[in-house]
Amino acid sequence: MQKRVKKKLVSLYTGELFAVFTFALIWILYIQLFEWSVPYLTSYPSLYAFALLEFILLQGSYYWCLKLKQAQQNDFTSLPGRQLKVFANFKRLNTGLIVIGMFMLTYQIISKPIELYWFIFVFLFAVIEHINYYYVRLSYQTIEEIKELKRQKGYRKSRLAKELESFLK
């Protein structure tokens, strides 16, 4: 059981970190290789949404790294208070950044620039990741996890949300 948990934590930690670097690399390569992509990928709103997404993915990677370190010490409890305080601050900061993004979205919809749909796609991806970490678990990767989702008849709080809820009480 503990070995399986550690393996899952390694997968989550490295997967999120891999996504951060892969997304950045692909973003840069597209700008370099495909002239048509430049207006979409270099506009301020698109860069903002991309930076927000990367920031939130880094938070997820950091969280799973901390959980992995705990598991390696056979500690399967919640993170220590000082670490949870960091994530509570991340959550507040993300919310503020998402609100700023909503203003950008409103402006984008009114002005209808060429990169509107790209911005919406990346911004929504960032918002979904924020929800996935800080509120409700949205990602189910294995058949067993999908079966569990069906059994519980709906989504459940994410692990980080549960830890933050206990910490903030």
Side-chain angles (χ1 to χ4, degrees), residues 110-138:
I110 292 168
S111 64
K112 296 189 184 187
I114 189 171
E115 71 277 357
L116 170 64
Y117 297 110
W118 183 247
F119 168 78
I120 290 171
F121 171 73
V122 177
F123 182 69
L124 286 178
F125 190 0
V127 170
I128 289 167
E129 284 298 322
H130 174 74
I131 292 167
N132 185 50
Y133 291 132
Y134 291 98
Y135 295 97
V136 179
R137 181 179 177 196
L138 297 174

Side-chain angles (χ1 to χ4, degrees), residues 27 36-43 46-47 114-116 118-119:
W27 193 279
W36 60 264
S37 72
V38 173
Y40 299 99
L41 302 180
T42 60
S43 71
S46 292
L47 289 171
I114 189 171
E115 71 277 357
L116 170 64
W118 183 247
F119 168 78

Side-chain angles (χ1 to χ4, degrees), residues 3 5 24 95 104 109 111-112 125 150:
K3 191 173 185 176
V5 170
T95 302
M104 287 181 160
I109 290 171
S111 64
K112 296 189 184 187
F125 190 0
K150 287 180 181 179

Side-chain angles (χ1 to χ4, degrees), residues 65-130:
C65 177
L66 293 173
K67 295 306 289 181
L68 176 60
K69 286 180 181 178
Q70 272 189 316
Q72 288 169 338
Q73 297 169 353
N74 290 322
D75 177 5
F76 297 95
T77 62
S78 292
L79 291 176
R82 63 180 169 28
Q83 291 173 341
L84 287 172
K85 187 171 184 168
V86 168
F87 285 100
N89 289 331
F90 280 151
K91 182 179 178 182
R92 280 192 290 279
L93 178 59
N94 292 349
T95 302
L97 294 172
I98 289 169
V99 168
I100 291 169
M102 295 298 288
F103 284 114
M104 287 181 160
L105 176 61
T106 303
Y107 175 77
Q108 293 279 92
I109 290 171
I110 292 168
S111 64
K112 296 189 184 187
I114 189 171
E115 71 277 357
L116 170 64
Y117 297 110
W118 183 247
F119 168 78
I120 290 171
F121 171 73
V122 177
F123 182 69
L124 286 178
F125 190 0
V127 170
I128 289 167
E129 284 298 322
H130 174 74

Side-chain angles (χ1 to χ4, degrees), residues 1-7 76:
M1 164 80 174
Q2 290 178 0
K3 191 173 185 176
R4 199 173 93 212
V5 170
K6 290 175 188 175
K7 183 179 177 184
F76 297 95

